[in-house]
Amino acid sequence: MTEHIIEVRDLVKHYPVTRGVVFKKTIGQVKAVDGVSFDLRAGETLGVVGESGCGKSTLSRVLMNLEKPTAGTVHYKGQDISKLSGGALRRLRRQIQLVMQDPYTSLNPRMTVGDLIGEPFEIHPEVAPKGSRRDKVKELLDLVGLNPEHINRYPHQFSGGQRQRIGIARALALRPEVIVCDEPVSALDVSIQAQVMNLLEKLQNELGLSYVFIAHDLSVVRHLSDRVAVMYLGKIVEIGTEDEIYERPTHPYTQALLSAVPVPDPTLRDNKAIIRLTGDVPSPISPPSGCRFRTRCWKAQDVCAEQPPLLEIRSGSDHPSACHFAEKREIVATHEA
Ligand SMILES: Nc1ncnc2c1ncn2[C@@H]1O[C@H](COP(=O)(O)OP(=O)(O)OP(=O)(O)O)[C@@H](O)[C@H]1O
Ligand SMILES: [Mg+2]
């Protein structure tokens, strides 16, 4: 059996909504993440996809123990991360690293690339003793496809794609096992996106990394992901292998997201039913009762007033989908990969 490196169970993260300046009064809760469970297997890439505000970045912050969950647990190699302190917490901080979306704002403009990539060694000197740090940084620059001779340059002297490579080198400095990539290519031009994705894939193969790869768009994560979780308003609505999600999606929300993915081949395009979602995403402060997608779903019926559990589907398919009608397998997107 494959080892589970991370196990997330019934994870909830709510943020209070307050009114008043002096006497803050809580008037509601933003249900950013609202009951999420999944496993990350050693060496795999789990894509996490959903529209803006569905809770992807909140999930990544709780996964990294940067924020405490309101309820639920995250286990890293069998240990509950919210219970770690001292040396065990420091080790966790080394082993899970984050690559963020915006290479423009996530790098301090007044630090050289050498100092930026070497900064994690200040906090974890055991990884690289002082005398060896410059060489280590040069190795990291080389590993991410940058010129090691540029070690004394500043972030503004690099292009957007190169800056994202600097962010990746910095995340790799402490030799982590897991990298959470929160929309690492969304701010880049399409041609540069492919180069950075190829780099991430190469690094995964060379270093045996596990990735949680967050994106807005199903097309971005397809190539890299072994499995994909689709999120809507703080919940996972469907999770499965690349093949299950892209070729045999059963949740109407996944089907709608897929139908929005452009198909390059015009002969295949005609076969594809276009699903246009109407209405906006409801507020995570007061999400719809029952199935959260039912206010925008063309299949919605009375039964949808009850929240469908994310269970293995009874027949027809084999991956979890939180839709009452999921057992009726449908192939909406008929195009081939
Ligand atoms: N610190 C916070 N305090 C209050 N509300 C928050 C906080 N962080 C996030 N939220 C809210 O939680 C919800 C989920 O936000 P989150 O940033 O996790 O979404 P996301 O899926 O990453 O969106 P995007 O694709 O735009 O990055 C949003 O409604 C957001 O406004
Ligand atoms: Mg986000």
Side-chain angles (χ1 to χ4, degrees):
M1 219 179 84
T2 326
E3 184 198 356
H4 290 168
I5 196 156
I6 293 180
E7 291 181 352
V8 177
R9 292 292 174 271
D10 304 320
L11 197 69
V12 175
K13 180 68 190 177
H14 290 178
Y15 296 106
V17 183
T18 56
R19 190 187 285 155
V21 181
V22 184
F23 299 104
K24 283 210 169 99
K25 196 170 153 234
T26 301
I27 54 165
Q29 301 284 334
V30 181
K31 296 175 177 129
V33 172
D34 208 22
V36 160
S37 302
F38 64 86
D39 300 318
L40 180 70
R41 299 169 192 162
E44 81 166 342
T45 299
L46 177 71
V48 177
V49 171
E51 284 166 288
S52 184
C54 72
K56 306 181 296 293
S57 296
T58 304
L59 175 65
S60 73
R61 289 193 298 272
V62 180
L63 273 186
M64 305 206 44
N65 207 3
L66 298 173
E67 290 183 9
K68 294 279 175 218
T70 309
T73 55
V74 177
H75 281 82
Y76 176 77
K77 291 189 166 173
Q79 285 182 301
D80 183 341
I81 64 165
S82 68
K83 301 220 165 82
L84 298 180
S85 60
L89 183 59
R90 279 168 51 80
R91 272 195 297 282
L92 178 84
R93 295 248 179 274
R94 267 185 58 184
Q95 282 158 352
I96 309 185
Q97 293 290 320
L98 182 65
V99 173
M100 281 184 291
Q101 175 177 358
D102 194 346
Y104 298 89
T105 55
S106 58
L107 298 175
N108 183 342
R110 281 186 284 276
M111 286 171 76
T112 65
V113 166
D115 290 340
L116 279 165
I117 298 175
E119 195 178 34
F121 300 141
E122 303 285 335
I123 306 155
H124 296 272
E126 72 279 9
V127 182
K130 240 193 165 87
S132 71
R133 284 185 197 163
R134 241 184 122 71
D135 288 340
K136 281 257 185 289
V137 170
K138 285 188 169 179
E139 261 174 48
L140 285 162
L141 284 168
D142 190 46
L143 187 64
V144 299
L146 292 172
N147 184 346
E149 301 305 314
H150 294 167
I151 188 166
N152 292 323
R153 294 195 176 181
Y154 289 88
H156 75 266
Q157 294 173 286
F158 293 86
S159 68
Q162 288 173 326
R163 275 187 265 210
Q164 194 53 292
R165 287 171 193 262
I166 297 168
I168 293 167
R170 196 178 138 97
L172 289 173
L174 300 175
R175 293 189 246 117
E177 297 193 318
V178 179
I179 299 190
V180 178
C181 304
D182 190 355
E183 308 210 34
V185 298
S186 305
L188 304 174
D189 288 351
V190 174
S191 58
I192 310 293
Q193 282 187 2
Q195 293 171 15
V196 173
M197 297 294 281
N198 288 343
L199 171 66
L200 287 168
E201 192 176 15
K202 176 192 96 133
L203 292 170
Q204 180 169 44
N205 293 335
E206 283 176 15
L207 307 173
L209 298 162
S210 309
Y211 289 149
V212 175
F213 197 102
I214 294 171
H216 266 87
D217 188 327
L218 274 164
S219 63
V220 172
V221 297
R222 177 162 198 174
H223 178 64
L224 204 66
S225 297
D226 301 296
R227 291 186 307 137
V228 176
V230 179
M231 280 185 80
Y232 186 76
L233 273 176
K235 287 190 180 293
I236 292 178
V237 297
E238 183 165 8
I239 182 166
T241 62
E242 192 245 67
D243 198 43
E244 286 164 345
I245 294 295
Y246 291 86
E247 301 301 333
R248 305 193 299 279
T250 60
H251 197 287
Y253 182 59
T254 313
Q255 293 172 348
L257 285 184
L258 271 176
S259 95
V261 172
V263 180
D265 183 341
T267 57
L268 296 172
R269 210 175 289 157
D270 294 341
N271 294 334
K272 209 179 108 172
I274 300 286
I275 303 164
R276 284 187 215 290
L277 288 182
T278 50
D280 293 329
V281 182
S283 162
I285 300 174
S286 52
S289 62
C291 173
R292 290 186 177 184
F293 187 57
R294 70 184 169 124
T295 54
R296 298 168 83 198
C297 183
W298 63 98
K299 289 184 183 169
Q301 298 196 13
D302 292 348
V303 64
C304 305
E306 269 174 50
Q307 169 67 42
L310 183 70
L311 292 176
E312 303 291 321
I313 297 157
R314 289 169 290 268
S315 63
S317 185
D318 45 9
H319 66 280
S321 174
C323 175
H324 290 294
F325 307 110
E327 72 266 43
K328 292 182 200 137
R329 185 207 288 189
E330 282 177 45
I331 299 177
V332 171
T334 51
H335 59 279
E336 296 298 324

